[in-house]
Amino acid sequence: MHWANQFDVCCFLDSNDYVDAYSEYDFLLAVGCKAELKSEIGNAFEKLKTFFEENQQWLFGFFGYDLKNEIEDLKSENPDHLNFPDLYFFVPEYLLVCKDGVAEILIGDKSVLNEINAFIVIEEAAHRINIKSKISKTEYLNKINALKEHIIRGDIYEINFCQEFFAEHAEIAPVQTYEALNNLSPTPFSGYFKLYNQYILSATPERFLCKRGNHLISQPIKGTAKRSSDKAKDEIIKATLKNSIKEQAENVMIVDLVRHDLTKSAVKGSVKVDELFGIYTFPQVHQMISTVSCELNPEVHFIDAIKNTFPMGSMTGAPKVKAMKLIEEYEDTKRGIYSGSFGCINPSGDFDFNVIIRSILYNSENKYLSFQVGGAITYQSEAEAEYEECLLKASAILQVLG
């Protein structure tokens, strides 16, 4: 990782030994930039199709949440201090992959392995980070109760509402900070993305969408419970989450939304729920994760399959468009890259993309650091409990930033 940081553009995707994660590799490290696509909202997905066809090579990149405005008649007018592009992809100069503990150079000179082994840089430690919340706890509670009124009126039946925590004049060592986060909270879709002066340091546990052959897989997360250091109590917490009617209701609403989104790209009758309410354990939390899949219609371009499901239902709510309109109205920060997605596409058009949550976002040029946390709000939600869940989801990041 320290070797990779000498390049202006870098993407590291780490499965952290979880089975069947990114492109079936333990990790992928893409550095340097032979060709790049940077696009704002307009026809970004079409540009990505062209970029893939022109290169027919491994691509690494991200989709910002506000691409929703290209897909639907929506807008994003909240303040943004990170200024990531809406879409960015690059063809790497070097691609190092590791599978079953064996490293291999897929792109670039094989001798680079010796360079990597010899290249050690000690980054400066982070200065003290003064984290502030964009809205007060009282404001948060009031907004949750206002959103519940929309649910009572029938405008929506679930919405993902998020709040921002931020620091100005922040100085961090991005690689060192990511390594600390990844060590504290190893997750199957963890990753580090450097785009010149902009960084994503992610400990996300969630897959947005994956394509293997003609098979599409989405794994939305809805349902979170704090772990206990007491093994017996931890098992009780896990069982309680699995049997929670509230968490199941949240989860199944999003599963239905994902099924609906996948039908736009699927062979008729092929959409299925492979696993409903699966409970998965991570260092800080237990999560309820469902798996939905389909066979990709051969007449649908794989980029359109991404577009047809974006943004992911777990970060919007249902009905999707109305939920996104209310997100814009009630949230105080433009989401930008947060609740977007980053990952990779291989030369045959298979891909794997995460959901950008549990992530530190950093602009080293203006020294602005940000992370957002949120959760699903339903009729059964209690505002105070939702606030506590936000703090739980932020706990690993807060610990890393001191």
Side-chain angles (χ1 to χ4, degrees), residues 42 76 146 206 296 337 371:
S76 300
E206 185 169 0
L296 177 62
I337 197 66
F371 61 94

Side-chain angles (χ1 to χ4, degrees), residues 157 251-264 308-309 311-321 323:
Y157 49 92
N251 194 287
V252 79
M253 287 179 198
I254 299 307
V255 166
D256 282 345
L257 178 54
V258 171
R259 288 172 62 223
H260 174 265
D261 283 349
L262 284 176
T263 58
K264 301 172 191 173
N308 287 341
T309 50
M312 60 292 302
S314 62
M315 295 305 296
T316 56
K320 196 172 187 179
V321 173

Side-chain angles (χ1 to χ4, degrees), residues 3-4 6-11 30-38 51 55 57-61 88-95 107 193-196:
W3 166 81
Q6 68 179 305
F7 294 89
D8 287 332
V9 180
C10 164
C11 180
V31 297
C33 181
K34 286 201 286 192
E36 66 180 350
L37 168 65
K38 185 185 291 187
F51 189 66
N55 289 281
Q57 185 51 274
W58 280 89
L59 304 182
F60 291 76
Y88 179 84
F89 277 82
F90 73 100
V91 177
E93 288 179 47
Y94 297 97
L95 175 58
I107 299 174
F193 204 109
K194 175 187 179 184
L195 175 59
Y196 303 98

Side-chain angles (χ1 to χ4, degrees), residues 176-190:
Q176 193 179 71
T177 304
Y178 168 70
E179 288 176 342
L181 181 63
N182 198 32
N183 288 335
L184 180 65
S185 185
T187 56
F189 302 104
S190 166

